[in-house]
Amino acid sequence: MGFNVAIDGPAGSGKSTVARMAAKELHFVYVDTGAMYRAIGYACSERGIDADHEEAVSEAAEKMDVTIRYADGEQHILLDGKDVSSVIRTEKAGILASKVSRYPAVRSHLLGLQRKLASESDVLMDGRDIGTCVLPDAQVKIFLTAAPEIRAKRRCRDYELKGEPYVYEEVLQKIRERDAQDMNRSVAPLKQAEDAFLLDTSGLSLEEVLERVVSLVRRGMQKDNTVSPSVSRQS
Ligand code: DC
């Protein structure tokens, strides 16, 4: 098994950006599990399958081949052999991902791939249930969060940079809806693992968050051979 770092947190907490940068610095493989759910949500919409129809989504998802390929250090997500990495980065794909991720059949379909990746390399994997379900034995677990208003402001800044229109209140409302959906589902809901470090990024810059994540991982790597894994990491 590789050295496993689990990073969980709500939408817009900055997980993906930080996890990608930290993985680069630490020479770990970055695994974005949200992209896998997005690929399934996107495929359902392309095929005209209603994301609220559990049976239809589950049946279709079980036949989908979701794989990951790395090129130039970046994760590419392949759906039935086709690279869908850029088309899944929309707000709509995020909402669809959140809907289809409620279904046990969808989650178990992706679990094998996620665990296989973690067993093959040193990974920094981000998502909602990595520390609690996917990699319960991860050597380092981090729960990244920030106030919904701060996350909404960050999203708005992204839209501004991309030159896309936005309405702050609508962005905030969508973040709240996604939080509620991800936290209240019955299977693998978003929650902090008991042994995860809590990192509230509300008042921190990207550089500060990155520095803390990298140092938590380095500390975990040093401790790995010397400290009993039962030592609580809750901060
Ligand atoms: O991180 P993201 O915004 O790309 O994730 C999209 C959705 O996928 C998220 O709202 C919930 C779901 N998801 C999940 O249920 N479990 C994960 N490990 C990762 C994402």
Side-chain angles (χ1 to χ4, degrees):
M1 184 175 128
F3 191 89
N4 293 169
V5 180
I7 302 195
D8 291 300
S13 58
K15 301 183 300 301
S16 329
T17 311
V18 170
R20 183 178 292 110
M21 292 169 84
K24 212 165 246 171
E25 197 166 326
L26 293 156
H27 303 288
F28 275 38
V29 172
Y30 167 54
V31 183
D32 170 5
T33 61
M36 300 175 186
Y37 290 98
R38 282 172 181 260
I40 292 184
Y42 169 80
C44 286
S45 120
E46 287 290 286
R47 295 172 196 184
I49 300 168
D50 179 359
D52 286 318
H53 194 317
E54 176 168 1
E55 214 178 301
V57 171
S58 303
E59 201 188 315
E62 276 164 3
K63 291 187 206 121
M64 287 178 199
D65 179 35
V66 179
T67 46
I68 276 186
R69 195 185 60 198
Y70 289 88
D72 306 324
E74 290 294 323
Q75 173 185 295
H76 288 256
I77 188 107
L78 306 186
L79 178 75
D80 295 329
K82 189 176 155 219
D83 193 333
V84 293
S85 314
S86 28
V87 289
I88 57 166
R89 303 291 6 146
T90 62
E91 187 63 38
K92 184 182 164 207
I95 292 165
L96 287 169
S98 180
K99 287 186 172 206
V100 301
S101 68
R102 291 172 293 172
Y103 308 138
V106 172
R107 303 203 72 83
S108 63
H109 185 58
L110 295 176
L111 188 63
L113 169 63
Q114 293 163 355
R115 288 196 173 146
K116 182 169 174 280
L117 290 166
S119 70
E120 290 169 347
S121 330
D122 293 336
V123 297
L124 215 146
M125 186 177 287
D126 83 10
R128 303 292 188 285
D129 63 334
I130 311 304
T132 51
C133 298
V134 181
L135 305 175
D137 297 326
Q139 287 91 335
V140 176
K141 298 181 187 177
I142 300 169
F143 192 84
L144 272 194
T145 191
E149 293 77 10
I150 303 270
R151 289 186 274 132
K153 275 188 196 145
R154 288 179 185 158
R155 270 280 146 84
C156 292
R157 211 167 38 228
D158 291 343
Y159 288 131
E160 219 162 271
L161 290 173
K162 285 195 253 169
E164 289 175 21
Y166 64 86
V167 177
Y168 169 77
E169 286 73 22
E170 286 176 10
V171 175
L172 178 59
Q173 174 65 16
K174 287 213 174 91
I175 285 207
R176 289 212 158 106
E177 280 168 17
R178 191 110 81 87
D179 282 359
Q181 191 152 271
D182 293 347
M183 286 171 180
N184 298 320
R185 65 181 178 219
S186 51
V187 201
L190 166 67
K191 74 165 191 250
Q192 184 184 348
E194 276 179 15
D195 52 351
F197 293 101
L198 175 64
L199 189 48
D200 187 333
T201 69
S202 298
L204 301 175
S205 67
L206 174 61
E207 291 70 29
E208 287 169 326
V209 181
L210 177 64
E211 195 189 311
R212 285 180 203 197
V213 167
V214 168
S215 95
L216 284 171
V217 176
R218 291 218 163 105
R219 235 165 57 196
M221 291 168 83
Q222 279 167 5
K223 277 184 182 176
D224 194 36
N225 297 322
T226 52
V227 172
S228 153
S230 64
V231 170
S232 168
R233 291 181 181 140
Q234 185 107 32
S235 60

